[in-house]
Amino acid sequence: MKLTTRVDVTDIDRDISTTFDYEFSGETTAEIKDFDAPSDFGIGLIVGPSGSGKSTLLKKFGQEAECEWDGSKSIASHFASADEARDKLSSVGFNSVKNWLQPYHTLSNGQQFRSDLARKVSSGVVIDEFTSVINREAARSCSVSLRRYVDNAGLTNIVLASCHYDIIEWLQPDWCYDVEGGAMMPKKSDRALRSVSRDAPLKNGRSSAIITISTQGSTVEILDGSPYGEKHQSGLYQPLLSPEW
């Protein structure tokens, strides 16, 4: 796929191109490698640096909708019901009741992004610049919450584009196309992997097993010896193992 842009060449263009010995006729062409996406998925992700062609590829899946906001109403009032407002806003990691009750124009750029996303999220939606205007802590919350909501609601064919590669681990997309690499990125088969040593039996309500929980890229080992409900020194609660688990 070729992306070509043309401009009328001005004296400034000629001066710059001559100074830097860059041949310029007014036309710029970029080669973007197209790809085939699965026909049935929950979330798809297109990643790549700025100017790599993400937005161009995103358009093959549809046009991003614009949200209109009434400055005399709260964010929450733009949803069909209080339940929908709560569910949709929480689905993008926006969990401040105080901010829900404010008008859109009083929010920060990051809060406005999540408000827009909350109204847009549905099957078949496309979102450009996903998490580009929010800090990485908010990006993680947004990505994890959106993945959970899409799975629980059974939404399909949502395609996002972003210049941030860190969200891949948090969002766990069903497919991810790297524009710079020109290929699909390998997908982790499990969002949460648990391994349990079953060799050691329960003794007096205590387990001598070590549970390793790896989720969203973080691995935590819960050491043996703590009974169910007792807080380990790590600050985590040690669950009581059962043979069926």
Side-chain angles (χ1 to χ4, degrees):
M1 178 188 299
K2 286 188 177 181
L3 180 62
T4 302
T5 57
R6 294 180 178 84
V7 297
D8 295 329
V9 181
T10 66
D11 290 339
I12 294 177
D13 298 326
R14 294 188 187 94
D15 190 354
I16 292 176
S17 59
T18 300
T19 300
F20 291 95
D21 194 23
Y22 177 77
E23 186 175 341
F24 182 62
S25 64
E27 181 176 289
T28 302
T29 302
E31 188 74 32
I32 304 173
K33 188 175 180 181
D34 202 356
F35 68 98
D36 293 323
S39 58
D40 186 22
F41 57 90
I43 299 176
L45 177 64
I46 302 172
V47 291
S50 296
S52 60
K54 299 185 301 297
S55 298
T56 299
L57 291 173
L58 186 64
K59 290 177 181 177
K60 65 185 285 185
F61 297 96
Q63 193 71 30
E64 184 170 3
E66 295 291 335
C67 290
E68 293 185 1
W69 296 92
D70 185 340
S72 65
K73 293 182 179 180
S74 69
I75 296 299
S77 295
H78 287 78
F79 295 87
S81 67
D83 285 342
E84 183 184 69
R86 180 197 64 222
D87 292 345
K88 287 289 188 73
L89 290 166
S90 297
S91 77
V92 296
F94 191 15
N95 299 311
S96 171
V97 175
K98 175 184 176 182
N99 294 137
W100 293 358
L101 301 179
Q102 293 179 217
Y104 182 82
H105 65 271
T106 65
L107 303 180
S108 68
N109 288 341
Q111 292 167 341
Q112 288 181 349
F113 163 77
R114 283 176 286 175
S115 298
D116 287 332
L117 182 60
R119 288 186 62 189
K120 293 176 183 178
V121 63
S122 61
S123 292
V125 72
V126 297
I127 305 292
D128 202 357
E129 299 295 344
F130 181 68
T131 75
S132 293
V133 298
I134 55 180
N135 63 45
R136 307 328 294 156
E137 182 179 351
R140 177 171 184 163
S141 174
C142 181
S143 299
V144 172
S145 297
L146 180 61
R147 176 78 258 184
R148 184 186 303 116
Y149 180 78
V150 169
D151 288 344
N152 290 340
L155 302 183
T156 60
N157 295 48
I158 295 173
V159 184
L160 314 173
S162 178
C163 60
H164 293 287
Y165 286 78
D166 56 0
I167 64 171
I168 298 173
E169 193 167 12
W170 307 327
L171 186 67
Q172 291 293 298
D174 300 294
W175 58 261
C176 179
Y177 182 74
D178 182 8
V179 181
E180 188 172 42
M184 286 285 188
M185 298 183 72
K187 179 180 180 297
K188 292 183 179 179
S189 58
D190 297 311
R191 298 194 187 102
L193 303 177
R194 300 186 181 194
S195 60
V196 180
S197 171
R198 296 178 181 273
D199 296 333
L202 297 174
K203 296 179 180 179
N204 300 322
R206 296 173 179 266
S207 169
S208 57
I210 295 178
I211 305 174
T212 300
I213 300 177
S214 177
T215 179
Q216 304 299 344
S218 299
T219 300
V220 177
E221 286 191 347
I222 306 176
L223 303 180
D224 60 347
S226 298
Y228 181 78
E230 178 177 308
K231 205 169 190 178
H232 191 267
Q233 61 184 3
S234 65
L236 298 173
Y237 285 91
Q238 168 72 4
L240 178 64
L241 293 180
S242 67
E244 293 78 24
W245 196 80

